[in-house]
């Protein structure tokens, strides 16, 4: 469903050179891919480019989503096509009730697909059911979008949005960052509930520990804008045991000093 | 991909929806202003001698005044001799029932979405329709009459309730209060009048819909609302005007009076023609609005959503005379294209333990410029007075401006006055977050801005909150409005 070929990208108006340097990735329905890598390897850049954020320039390569040129689409068109990005840092929208926001989003997507909109009552039923599944307390639904949420609440709220919008492809950008072990488990449970043969999931993470709970089919190591190694779930364990240094050395890649430390 | 700024610029192409003109036979006073014109208006309305004198007195005070220039928007001297002070649709006879209203006028209001038919109206809203200088219809009059509530045009009130009009007219905004109020006092032609008797809670929203139609005229309406002891009324005004290249002057006066334990909630959704992208045309909205909490424990609450006008210059105010009385001001002002607004409130604390609350949300887009100007005055007598002011400004784009000018004067040491202010830019992150969830960029702007204004929107009567939200979205389309 998602096919990335030889993707090169840089940040607009900044002379820092390429962040992504020829990245290839293919995700098929039902697969869970984990992309791991040290800080500055281009993980978040990849997530943002896929979701269509401003400020990045693709200089080479292509991305197709279900056969369509993803890079030509506006962010809202990507959402309507079934792509979802769980943000690493969810954004606060003061004054807008969480459930109103989510209903607006769901109906915007339905409208774009030519489907009938959901009325308030049916939406509430749907929302309550999903909130229970992903472990979101009802009071969170009435609060303002991410406003005054704890780190864990924000991440859980992202998973709730995903559960309501039911995307074909979900990209989770460092969903584990800033979570304690209990929160991590709830979030992972939420994601696992959404695993299905039709849905693709890309988990971007720094640490292996999330992958104890969301077990991936494929693991990729992203370093300096390229995937230097791919494998099954055992690759994540190898990374955890031996660290990035060993994997990198075997791939013949050296990193600037400090990057590995940050990679933990 | 479009940035928020580009979107804003793109949306500035939005056209004013209510800019049409109704071709109708109208009767005008000759242009210009002198005692003769004032006598003409007074005679047209068959007013009693005291009122003619009252107008002339206002005119004499007016002549001694000069157009003020302390505000931020540059107005220039308005040529008051170029305006016709009376324009009225020709009616053979005053319509006896709603069915007899001129079909053209009826169609005008239908196009504006407020048909003059009780059954078609939003349930529970009575409307007074003011077309140019005169009131053309008032709905639900009979039903209100049963409760003793008087809701009619002020011209009618002059004829039928002269004692009330004489007692309260000018009691809150005296004739010589300021330049535009003095002008209004001299030449006002119509407006609404409300009297709610003791202990009565008005069961429906009362509303006036102002429409400037004729060219080369100004609208000088006068509204007077009196809530007798223990009564309650919620009142809403809405306004539109045709699109014209010249500026039109709207200089209204609104006076509110609450006696002991009474409450008036006054809401405005102002959508006067704002002028085009280059600032040609548009209404000058220079209005004096003031409420007097005369009674103990009385309350006056102003809520305004200001999206229109080329220049908005007004400060709905409360004079808190009765002990324990409460004044509130909730405002959303949007300026887009070359619109300018200098608005805010004045809270004057006289009575003991009087409280006031000010929440002002300003949104500036395009080349819009706005100023919050507020005065909180605590007199020596106002033992235990409290005020809380919150002023938030949001900027959309990089060519607009927002300014906050709070004045605070405290003469009683027991008073507590708080002022908070913030300025923010609509963030690309917020818009991207919404868009990544499937919401289009224009809806994302409306969503974020509505969130920003929520505290104020929550104060609007339910029936109008939805409209106001849409209007905000539209205004932001047109210059973010």
């Amino acid at each position: 469903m998602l096919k990335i070929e030889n993707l090169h990208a840089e940040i607009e108006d900044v002379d820092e050179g390429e962040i992504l340097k020829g990245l290839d990735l293919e995700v098929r329905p039902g697969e869970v891919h984990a992309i791991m890598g040290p800080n500055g390897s281009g993980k978040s850049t990849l997530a943002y480019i896929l979701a269509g954020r401003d400020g990045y320039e693709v200089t080479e390569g292509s991305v197709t989503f279900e056969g369509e040129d993803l890079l030509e689409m506006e962010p809202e068109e990507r959402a309507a096509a079934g792509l979802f990005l769980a943000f690493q840092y969810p954004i606060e929208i003061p004054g807008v009730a969480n459930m109103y926001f989510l209903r607006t989003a769901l109906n915007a997507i339905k409208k774009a697909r030519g489907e009938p909109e959901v009325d308030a009552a049916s939406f509430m039923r749907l929302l309550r059911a999903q909130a229970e599944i992903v472990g979101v307390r009802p009071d969170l639904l009435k609060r303002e979008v991410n406003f005054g949420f704890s780190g864990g609440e924000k991440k859980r709220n992202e998973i709730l949005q995903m559960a309501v919008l039911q995307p074909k492809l979900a990209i989770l950008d460092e969903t584990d960052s800033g979570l304690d072990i209990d929160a991590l488990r709830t979030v992972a449970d939420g994601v696992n509930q959404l695993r299905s043969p039709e849905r693709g999931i890309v988990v971007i993470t720094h640490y292996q520990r999330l992958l104890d709970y969301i077990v991936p089919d494929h693991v990729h190591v992203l370093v300096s804008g390229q995937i230097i190694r791919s494998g099954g779930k055992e690759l994540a364990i190898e990374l955890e045991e031996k660290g990035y240094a060993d994997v990198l050395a075997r791939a013949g890649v050296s990193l600037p000093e400090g990057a590995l430390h940050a990679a933990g | 991909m479009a940035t928020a700024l580009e979107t804003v610029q793109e949306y500035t192409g939005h056209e004013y929806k209510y800019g049409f003109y109704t071709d109708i036979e109208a009767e005008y006073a000759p242009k210009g202003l002198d005692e003769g014109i004032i006598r003409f208006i007074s005679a047209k309305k068959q007013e009693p001698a005291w009122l003619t004198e009252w107008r002339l007195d206002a005119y004499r005070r007016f002549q001694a005044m000069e157009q003020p220039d302390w505000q931020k928007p540059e107005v220039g001297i308005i040529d008051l001799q170029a305006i016709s002070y009376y324009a009225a649709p020709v009616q053979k006879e005053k319509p006896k029932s709603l069915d007899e209203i001129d079909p053209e006028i009826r169609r005008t209001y239908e196009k504006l979405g407020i048909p003059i038919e009780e059954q078609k109206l939003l349930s529970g809203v009575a409307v007074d329709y003011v077309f140019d200088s005169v009131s053309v219809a008032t709905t639900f009059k009979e039903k209100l009459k049963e409760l003793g509530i008087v809701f009619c045009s002020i011209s009618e009130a002059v004829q039928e309730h002269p004692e009330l009009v004489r007692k309260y007219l000018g009691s809150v905004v005296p004739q010589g209060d300021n330049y535009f109020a003095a002008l209004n006092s001299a030449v006002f032609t119509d407006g609404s009048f409300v009297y709610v008797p003791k202990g009565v809670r008005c069961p429906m929203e009362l509303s006036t819909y102002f429409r400037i139609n004729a060219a080369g005229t100004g609208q000088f309406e006068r509204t007077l609302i009196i809530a007798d002891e223990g009564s309650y009324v919620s009142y809403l005004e809405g306004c539109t005007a045709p699109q014209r290249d010249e500026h039109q002057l709207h200089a209204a006066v609104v006076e509110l009076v609450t006696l002991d334990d009474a409450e008036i909630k006054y809401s405005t959704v102002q959508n006067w023609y704002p002028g085009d992208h280059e600032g040609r045309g548009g209404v000058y909205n220079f209005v004096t609005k003031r409420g007097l909490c005369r009674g103990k424990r009385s309350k006056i609450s102003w809520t305004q959503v200001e999206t229109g006008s080329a220049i908005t210059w007004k400060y709905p105010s409360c004079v808190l005379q009765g002990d324990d009385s409460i004044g509130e001001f909730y405002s959303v002002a949007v300026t887009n294209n070359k619109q300018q607004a200098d608005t805010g409130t004045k809270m004057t604390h006289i009575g003991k333990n009087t409280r006031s609350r000010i929440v002002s949300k300003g949104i500036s887009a395009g080349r819009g410029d706005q100023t919050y100007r507020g005065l909180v005055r605590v007199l020596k007598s106002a033992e235990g007075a409290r005020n809380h002011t919150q002023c938030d400004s949001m900027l959309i784009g990089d060519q607009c401006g927002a300014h906050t000018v709070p004045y605070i004067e405290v003469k009683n040491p027991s008073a507590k006055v708080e002022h908070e202010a913030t300025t923010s830019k609509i963030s690309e992150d917020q818009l991207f977050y919404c868009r990544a969830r499937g919401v289009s960029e224009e809806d994302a702007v409306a969503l974020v801005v509505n969130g920003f204004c929520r505290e104020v929107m929550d104060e609007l009567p339910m029936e109008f909150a939805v409209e106001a939200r849409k209007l905000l979205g539209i205004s932001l389309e047109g210059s973010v409005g």
Side-chain angles (χ1 to χ4, degrees):
Chain A
M1 60 195 333
L2 179 73
K3 200 165 184 186
I4 305 174
E5 285 179 309
N6 190 32
L7 186 66
H8 290 256
E10 54 190 45
I11 296 177
E12 262 173 25
D13 307 323
V14 177
D15 216 10
E16 280 180 7
E18 291 187 335
I19 309 271
L20 299 182
K21 303 168 184 165
L23 187 141
D24 295 284
L25 180 71
E26 183 164 7
V27 180
R28 292 180 198 85
E31 293 179 347
V32 176
H33 289 247
I35 297 178
M36 303 182 68
N39 275 350
S41 58
K43 299 191 301 288
S44 286
T45 298
L46 175 64
Y48 282 143
I49 287 175
L50 293 177
R53 190 191 167 110
D54 279 335
Y56 299 94
E57 196 183 339
V58 172
T59 49
E60 213 185 320
S62 67
V63 181
T64 57
F65 181 56
E66 303 214 293
E68 302 278 328
D69 183 351
L70 189 72
L71 301 176
E72 279 301 302
M73 296 157 90
E74 295 291 340
E76 57 270 31
E77 293 169 340
R78 300 177 194 207
L83 185 106
F84 180 91
L85 169 66
F87 282 55
Q88 182 180 2
Y89 303 109
I91 309 296
E92 298 179 351
I93 310 178
V96 178
N98 208 13
M99 53 196 202
Y100 179 75
F101 174 72
L102 205 41
R103 190 172 146 224
T104 305
L106 181 64
N107 280 335
I109 287 175
K110 288 201 172 279
K111 200 173 160 195
R113 291 178 183 163
E115 295 168 14
E117 298 190 5
V118 180
D119 64 70
S122 338
F123 176 76
M124 276 316 294
R125 277 196 296 277
L126 167 77
L127 184 61
R128 286 216 183 89
Q130 293 295 350
E132 203 178 321
I133 291 173
V134 301
V136 165
R137 286 197 321 274
D139 68 296
L140 219 59
L141 306 175
K142 291 184 191 150
R143 279 162 57 186
E144 301 165 44
V145 181
N146 293 321
F147 190 73
F149 284 25
S150 70
E153 285 172 333
K154 281 184 181 173
K155 295 298 173 78
R156 244 176 282 194
N157 194 38
E158 293 290 289
I159 303 303
L160 173 64
Q161 294 182 4
M162 180 169 92
V164 170
L165 300 179
Q166 295 278 323
K168 291 179 189 155
L169 176 71
I171 302 157
L172 311 175
D173 186 10
E174 309 243 358
T175 295
D176 50 336
S177 67
L179 294 187
D180 61 34
I181 197 72
D182 291 330
L184 186 73
R185 199 171 294 166
T186 347
V187 165
D189 285 349
V191 175
N192 285 328
Q193 298 272 4
L194 293 165
R195 286 181 87 149
S196 87
E198 297 81 39
R199 185 168 291 133
I201 297 177
V202 177
V203 181
I204 293 174
T205 180
H206 210 106
Y207 303 104
Q208 192 270 336
R209 60 172 194 168
L210 177 64
L211 305 179
D212 286 341
Y213 302 103
I214 304 173
V215 181
D217 304 303
H218 303 272
V219 175
H220 312 275
V221 182
L222 179 65
V223 175
S224 302
Q226 279 180 311
I227 288 175
I228 58 158
R229 215 179 133 191
S230 295
K233 61 180 180 236
E234 65 289 344
L235 177 56
I237 298 162
E238 185 187 330
L239 269 177
E240 177 77 2
E241 283 170 357
K242 300 185 179 165
Y244 281 104
D246 188 66
V247 177
L248 293 179
R250 284 175 50 194
V253 180
S254 64
L255 273 185
E257 215 166 304
L260 284 184
H261 179 71
Chain B
M1 237 161 287
T3 62
L5 180 58
E6 283 159 0
T7 312
V8 165
Q9 284 161 352
E10 197 177 303
Y11 294 154
T12 1
H14 166 81
E15 299 295 321
Y16 184 69
K17 210 169 122 190
Y18 306 106
F20 63 90
Y21 164 75
T22 309
D23 191 8
I24 192 163
E25 199 188 335
E27 184 181 23
Y28 294 90
K31 281 185 180 172
L33 179 60
D34 56 25
E35 283 202 14
I37 289 291
I38 292 162
R39 287 183 195 282
F40 168 83
I41 293 170
S42 198
K44 264 279 164 214
K45 307 187 99 46
Q46 301 167 346
E47 286 174 352
W50 69 263
L51 189 52
T52 313
E53 261 323 299
W54 193 87
R55 288 174 178 276
L56 291 170
D57 182 27
Y59 181 60
R60 281 173 213 123
R61 288 164 196 257
F62 170 76
Q63 282 177 306
M65 297 170 140
E66 279 178 20
Q67 189 181 322
D69 63 354
W70 45 262
Q71 81 291 358
K72 181 131 195 324
E74 278 179 34
V75 176
I77 294 297
I78 299 170
D79 183 3
L80 295 173
Q81 298 301 338
I83 295 175
S84 166
Y85 287 85
Y86 185 82
V90 174
Q91 288 174 337
K92 308 264 164 342
E93 263 172 63
K94 177 125 179 117
K96 283 181 199 65
S97 76
L98 297 177
D99 302 329
E100 291 175 22
I101 290 160
D102 188 311
E104 276 302 320
I105 293 181
R106 188 183 285 281
R107 267 195 288 281
T108 300
Y109 284 102
E110 252 160 48
K111 264 160 105 174
L112 296 169
I114 35 161
I116 311 183
E117 272 149 89
E118 292 181 354
Q119 65 274 22
K120 279 196 194 165
L121 272 174
L122 292 162
S123 58
V125 183
V127 184
D128 184 25
Y129 298 83
V130 176
F131 194 87
D132 288 333
S133 304
V134 295
S135 163
V136 291
T138 310
T139 53
F140 289 112
K141 245 175 166 168
E142 290 308 309
K143 190 166 174 204
L144 293 167
K145 209 172 167 184
E146 287 167 22
L147 293 163
I149 297 170
V150 182
F151 177 42
C152 62
S153 72
I154 198 147
S155 313
E156 215 174 313
V158 168
Q159 305 301 333
E160 288 172 26
H161 306 277
E163 69 301 336
L164 283 172
V165 176
R166 197 168 182 178
K167 184 169 174 194
Y168 289 104
L169 186 73
S171 70
V172 186
V173 180
Q175 291 129 296
D177 190 79
N178 67 67
Y179 183 80
F180 292 106
L183 175 64
N184 174 288
S185 301
V187 303
F188 75 89
T189 42
D190 222 330
S192 297
F193 176 83
V194 178
Y195 171 77
V196 190
K198 273 185 198 176
V200 173
R201 208 183 151 84
C202 184
M204 56 176 77
E205 306 281 340
L206 302 186
S207 174
T208 300
Y209 196 92
F210 295 105
R211 172 79 179 167
I212 300 180
N213 189 58
T217 59
Q219 195 169 40
F220 303 93
E221 86 275 0
R222 185 112 195 165
T223 298
L224 176 57
I225 302 177
I226 303 139
D228 212 328
E229 291 171 20
S231 68
Y232 169 85
V233 62
S234 170
Y235 180 90
L236 185 122
E237 64 167 44
C239 10
T240 56
Q243 209 158 325
R244 297 187 185 285
D245 287 340
E246 83 260 32
H247 292 292
Q248 284 168 295
L249 178 61
H250 175 248
V253 171
V254 176
E255 296 178 280
L256 312 182
V257 182
T258 48
L259 303 185
D260 285 358
D261 300 297
E263 178 177 349
I264 297 175
K265 185 174 167 63
Y266 192 105
S267 313
T268 305
V269 175
Q270 188 261 110
N271 186 24
W272 294 117
Y273 176 53
D276 67 9
H277 310 320
E278 296 311 315
R280 278 185 299 260
V283 171
Y284 283 170
N285 190 32
F286 302 163
V287 172
T288 305
K289 288 182 167 172
R290 195 175 303 151
L292 172 61
C293 284
R294 242 170 71 165
K296 290 179 180 140
R297 298 168 301 276
S298 63
K299 179 175 173 183
I300 288 176
S301 180
W302 298 99
T303 305
Q304 57 172 22
V305 176
E306 304 281 315
T307 63
S309 294
I311 302 176
T312 298
W313 186 9
K314 66 170 202 179
Y315 313 93
S317 305
C318 296
V319 178
L320 304 171
Q321 190 182 58
D323 291 349
D324 302 297
S325 60
I326 299 172
E328 292 176 337
F329 174 73
Y330 299 95
S331 169
V332 168
V334 179
T335 50
N336 197 359
N337 293 325
K338 293 190 90 174
Q339 278 177 276
Q340 301 177 77
D342 193 319
T343 184
T345 184
K346 288 192 279 185
M347 293 289 176
T348 306
H349 294 256
I350 300 171
K352 291 190 184 69
N353 300 317
T354 45
R355 281 174 286 158
S356 62
R357 176 169 159 79
I358 299 169
V359 179
S360 163
K361 304 276 181 178
I363 299 131
S364 240
R367 282 172 289 166
D369 194 73
Q370 64 174 279
T371 304
Y372 167 83
R373 193 183 299 275
L375 169 64
V376 176
R377 240 173 116 196
V378 178
L379 302 191
K380 218 170 164 193
S381 53
E383 193 71 23
R386 274 180 291 162
N387 160 267
H388 186 267
T389 301
Q390 186 191 332
C391 285
D392 299 321
S393 308
M394 180 179 266
L395 302 173
I396 305 180
D398 54 5
Q399 296 176 65
C400 52
H403 318 270
T404 302
V405 190
Y407 302 83
I408 297 172
E409 257 181 62
V410 179
K411 301 235 167 80
N412 185 306
S414 67
K416 277 187 198 157
V417 177
E418 295 168 279
H419 181 93
E420 282 178 57
T422 65
T423 303
S424 57
K425 286 192 87 165
I426 194 164
S427 88
E428 296 280 340
D429 282 343
Q430 286 174 328
L431 297 183
F432 174 63
Y433 189 64
C434 296
R435 296 179 71 192
R437 296 293 174 257
V439 180
S440 72
E441 189 156 30
E442 96 191 58
D443 290 345
V445 170
L447 191 75
V448 172
V449 168
N450 269 305
F452 173 73
C453 302
R454 195 182 72 163
E455 282 163 283
V456 175
M457 299 309 238
D458 283 353
E459 293 296 323
L460 282 177
M462 272 275 267
E463 292 89 337
F464 302 104
V466 178
E467 276 308 304
R469 275 193 197 105
K470 274 193 214 145
L471 189 59
L472 266 193
I474 292 166
S475 323
L476 289 174
E477 275 171 26
S479 76
V480 175

